[in-house]
């Protein structure tokens, strides 16, 4: 018999609007790692895709990231691709499959996913939602209804995210 007297707790969500060919998103990795370490499962970090037209391989990279999440290693894959932004620019889609292989993921499945476009709808939906809420560049963070733009400067953003997350967590207890 389950205890139904207390309502299920929901954790605060931090949406990270990101583009995997974006050097600014790469520089945000340290903040994202620190947030994951600090909050663990008390804060849900969600990668949201916002591929920019100026980056030729960003749409494919977003699809590849979705495949990595499906295979259970999403954030690890995202970090590896962002670490190789220049290589992605130079090599394109073969680099995305190469990273999957290096991480021990099913690289053939990545190749197939990029060909059959199985993750396109997720990427399109994220991009449309981002535009609807005013995302114009990456990285952009949304937590507790507040949008924080990291595209121009990331100075102080992690502290602001922590303030909001701490407040949201305190309101739950």
């Amino acid at each position: 018999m389950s205890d139904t007297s207390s309502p299920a707790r929901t954790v605060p969500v931090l949406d990270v609007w990101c583009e995997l060919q974006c050097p600014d998103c790469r520089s945000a990795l340290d903040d994202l790692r620190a947030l994951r370490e600090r909050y663990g499962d008390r804060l849900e970090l969600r990668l949201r895709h916002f591929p920019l037209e100026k980056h030729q391989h960003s749409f494919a990279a977003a699809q590849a990231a979705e495949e990595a999440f499906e295979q259970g290693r999403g954030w690890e894959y995202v970090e590896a691709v962002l670490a190789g932004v220049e290589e992605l620019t130079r090599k394109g889609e073969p680099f995305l499959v190469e990273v999957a292989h290096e991480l021990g993921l099913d690289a053939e499945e990545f190749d197939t996913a990029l060909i059959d476009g199985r993750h396109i709808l997720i990427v399109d939906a994220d991009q449309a939602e981002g535009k609807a809420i005013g995302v114009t560049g990456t990285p952009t963070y949304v937590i507790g209804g507040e949008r924080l733009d990291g595209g121009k400067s990331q100075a102080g953003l992690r502290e602001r995210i922590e303030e909001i997350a701490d407040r949201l967590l305190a309101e739950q207890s």
Side-chain angles (χ1 to χ4, degrees):
M1 191 166 132
S2 64
D3 176 20
T4 55
S5 61
S6 63
R9 284 214 171 136
T10 57
V11 298
V13 173
L14 171 61
D15 281 326
V16 182
W17 299 87
C18 184
E19 197 248 24
L20 298 186
Q21 203 175 346
C22 168
D24 290 333
C25 288
R26 176 175 52 198
S27 57
L29 280 177
D30 287 340
D31 286 342
L32 294 176
R33 265 188 228 107
L35 289 165
R36 284 204 315 267
E37 276 178 33
R38 176 173 176 172
Y39 293 101
D41 59 6
R42 295 181 309 130
L43 177 67
E44 182 184 349
L45 254 71
R46 285 194 313 209
L47 178 69
R48 305 299 300 273
H49 303 287
F50 202 76
L52 302 169
E53 283 183 26
K54 67 181 178 179
H55 293 136
Q56 178 183 358
H57 306 295
S58 62
F59 195 81
Q63 293 176 71
E66 281 303 311
E67 181 59 31
F69 277 103
E70 202 164 277
Q71 292 189 30
R73 309 266 298 275
W75 282 109
E76 198 176 340
Y77 184 81
V78 165
E79 289 192 19
V81 171
L82 282 170
V85 164
E86 296 82 9
E87 248 183 302
L88 174 58
T89 301
R90 205 169 50 255
K91 293 181 180 177
E93 288 184 25
F95 174 71
L96 299 170
V97 176
E98 198 177 289
V99 169
H101 180 73
E102 286 169 10
L103 293 175
L105 296 166
D106 185 341
E108 280 184 35
E109 202 57 38
F110 270 77
D111 203 28
T112 304
L114 289 170
I115 293 166
D116 71 20
R118 69 183 74 157
H119 302 296
I120 286 176
L121 291 177
I122 293 169
V123 177
D124 282 346
D126 276 0
Q127 194 168 34
E129 185 181 334
K131 285 179 181 171
I133 65 166
V135 175
T136 56
T138 58
T140 296
Y141 308 93
V142 177
I143 183 171
E146 190 170 332
R147 190 178 74 234
L148 307 165
D149 183 0
K152 292 177 180 59
S153 168
Q154 293 176 60
L157 281 185
R158 184 170 89 206
E159 293 78 8
R160 183 71 189 121
I161 291 167
E162 288 173 350
E163 283 172 20
I164 297 168
D166 289 345
R167 186 191 77 229
L168 293 171
L169 287 166
E171 288 171 2
Q172 288 182 348
S173 45

